[in-house]
Amino acid sequence: MKQKAKNRISYLNLKAIGFKKIDASLMLYAIFILVVVLLILSGFFLHSMINRQTIASYQIQERLRQNVSSGINLLLADSTFQYNRIYYIDMFNENIDSLSIKKKKWGLLDLLSSKSWHKSYSKERYCYAGGFYKRNGMNTLYLADNGSPLCVCGNTKITGDCIIPKSGIKRGYIEGRHYSGDDLIKGNITFSEDIVPALPQQDLKLVEDQLSIDLNLTDYDFINLEEITKDSLYRSFTEKPLLIYQPESLLIDNYHLTGNILLVSNEIIVGPESSLNDVVLLANNIFILPETKARIQCIASDTIWVGENCYLAYPSVLAVLSDSLHSDNKMLMINANSRINGIVADLTKAPVQNQEFFPLYVDEGVIINGQLFSTNSVQFLGKVHGQVITNKFRLQTPSSLYINHLLDVEIDINKLGKTFVGLAFEGDQFPKKVIKWLH
């Protein structure tokens, strides 16, 4: 009885101070508010966690991007890295990120690769690289000293520093045409040796190895042209090179091929309806038909023939390479009004004995933006906005053959684009630069 009385007194006291019994709907409302608050707090927590993960992921990927850029820069700056060897580098010696770098020959150009990874994250980058680019002290012309002076005729224009034979330069006379200019050369003159600068022997050996490609190598994925089910094919440089091989002849027309693709045959013909981008062609003979547009590297052991009005975008390469003693049938010919943005090179090792044969022929109206190089002689009738290196000029007219004569041509280093990068020669100590980023 005392306890009941006590409880009643307590209840009366609570009622006296305003206590009221809570309605059930108010309790549900309070629980709803609590749930909403918990959901909002959970959302904030989840959002914060996702932000932290996103920031951490971004930081890792940004660090990997910096790593691959550092890897490319390392390959560009240090020439001691060997070709076809993978180098593994622990970035900052902290065992956090891994980096692998490699350089190899792809056509005539250096192909650099850099890959960095951290746990499940990875980044990789590829580029072409070269050691020739616009800088102070560059020569626009190197003509080996073979005992004959350089003779300029007609409307010839040579702008830039030149290295010419000790017998010097003089005005010439061809087919009734005297030299019409004032200055024979607009630049400084020094004297040459009896040989032309050479590409590094290791580089030439690697290019030769590509011409004698081992089709049993596991470094390639093989496909026949007939197996291409669509008219376009793309191959990333992050994948194995794709090799399209036909032994006798390969006609590329109405095909669109881009990227890490190698075409190999005895004879390759590229038609004007084709579209080739960053593709390498290896053959004994390569024929590019008139009106063709492409961005390609052509490496041949016998002949490269480029038809009229072709356009080869930067960085394209045309190179004939042979060490045959019977080199009189080796030819690189560029017909009238074609435009080559890149490198044109006759790399035939053996000297040509036939005085009436021109291993390198550049026809009238041809413009080469880049480098023209010949270990033998060149009949040159066009324009080079860049650099010419040759053993000898020959000019065949209906009446005679002239040695080291230039008629109505232009060689101008000042017109070389600031972003052009090409081939370095033996002994060059300049760091390399990126020619083009690849995907």
Side-chain angles (χ1 to χ4, degrees), residues 18 37 88 161 239 340 366:
V37 170
Y88 294 94
D161 296 344
E239 303 175 85
I340 314 297
V366 172

Side-chain angles (χ1 to χ4, degrees), residues 19-83:
F19 177 80
K20 295 182 179 179
K21 189 176 180 180
I22 300 175
D23 190 87
S25 62
L26 293 178
M27 182 65 73
L28 291 175
Y29 183 73
I31 293 173
F32 173 75
I33 295 296
L34 180 61
V35 170
V36 170
V37 170
L38 289 175
L39 288 175
I40 293 174
L41 292 176
S42 299
F44 280 128
F45 176 77
L46 183 60
H47 179 72
S48 176
M49 185 175 65
I50 292 174
N51 276 347
R52 286 198 299 271
Q53 291 177 345
T54 301
I55 292 172
S57 174
Y58 174 80
Q59 289 174 338
I60 292 172
Q61 294 187 54
E62 181 62 28
R63 192 172 68 243
L64 294 181
R65 276 192 287 268
Q66 293 175 0
N67 290 346
V68 296
S69 295
S70 297
I72 293 292
N73 290 334
L74 190 59
L75 288 171
L76 293 171
D78 192 345
S79 61
T80 61
F81 287 105
Q82 298 179 16
Y83 286 94

Side-chain angles (χ1 to χ4, degrees), residues 238-259:
T238 62
E239 303 175 85
K240 273 186 181 182
L242 183 65
L243 192 151
I244 300 175
Y245 171 71
Q246 286 186 191
E248 296 301 323
S249 183
L250 193 57
L251 173 61
I252 305 298
D253 207 8
N254 291 307
Y255 285 99
H256 302 269
L257 308 178
T258 300

Side-chain angles (χ1 to χ4, degrees), residues 197-361:
L199 294 176
Q201 290 302 308
Q202 181 187 20
D203 290 22
L204 291 177
K205 177 64 168 60
L206 291 168
V207 179
E208 289 174 351
D209 291 344
Q210 293 179 80
L211 284 170
S212 56
I213 187 171
D214 184 356
L215 297 178
N216 295 317
L217 288 175
T218 58
D219 297 337
Y220 305 93
D221 288 333
F222 295 87
I223 188 173
N224 292 322
L225 196 63
E226 292 78 8
E227 297 178 52
I228 301 177
T229 56
K230 299 180 180 179
D231 62 353
S232 63
L233 181 63
Y234 170 77
R235 185 73 165 190
S236 171
F237 281 86
T238 62
E239 303 175 85
K240 273 186 181 182
L242 183 65
L243 192 151
I244 300 175
Y245 171 71
Q246 286 186 191
E248 296 301 323
S249 183
L250 193 57
L251 173 61
I252 305 298
D253 207 8
N254 291 307
Y255 285 99
H256 302 269
L257 308 178
T258 300
N260 199 12
I261 301 173
L262 191 64
L263 305 177
V264 179
S265 182
N266 176 61
E267 178 182 271
I268 299 177
I269 302 170
V270 180
E273 300 301 319
S274 63
S275 175
L276 303 182
N277 188 15
D278 294 323
V279 175
V280 175
L281 284 61
L282 300 177
N284 291 328
N285 304 293
I286 299 174
F287 300 94
I288 302 174
L289 301 184
E291 309 288 341
T292 297
K293 297 180 179 179
R295 179 184 286 108
I296 51 178
Q297 291 193 67
C298 299
I299 314 294
S301 57
D302 282 349
T303 297
I304 295 177
W305 185 90
V306 180
E308 297 180 352
N309 300 306
C310 289
Y311 180 87
L312 301 186
Y314 175 77
S316 289
V317 173
L318 303 174
V320 172
L321 192 150
S322 174
D323 57 0
S324 172
L325 295 177
H326 305 287
S327 57
D328 287 1
N329 61 341
K330 318 294 181 184
M331 170 178 277
L332 199 169
M333 184 170 187
I334 306 174
N335 284 283
N337 302 316
S338 287
R339 191 181 186 98
I340 314 297
N341 298 286
I343 299 160
V344 177
D346 165 32
L347 302 172
T348 305
K349 295 180 181 179
V352 174
Q353 304 300 326
N354 184 353
Q355 296 296 314
E356 297 182 358
F357 181 76
F358 305 99
L360 179 53
Y361 185 97

Side-chain angles (χ1 to χ4, degrees), residues 370-414:
Q371 292 174 285
L372 176 65
F373 177 81
S374 175
T375 56
N376 280 282
S377 61
V378 54
Q379 171 136 329
F380 176 55
L381 305 173
K383 297 179 180 180
V384 172
H385 298 158
Q387 184 184 65
V388 175
I389 295 177
T390 184
N391 182 59
K392 186 183 296 184
F393 289 112
R394 293 181 183 177
L395 180 59
Q396 180 71 62
T397 70
S399 60
S400 184
L401 173 66
Y402 298 87
I403 302 298
N404 285 350
H405 280 61
L406 295 175
L407 175 63
D408 295 335
V409 306
E410 180 181 349
I411 307 172
D412 191 344
I413 194 71
N414 295 332

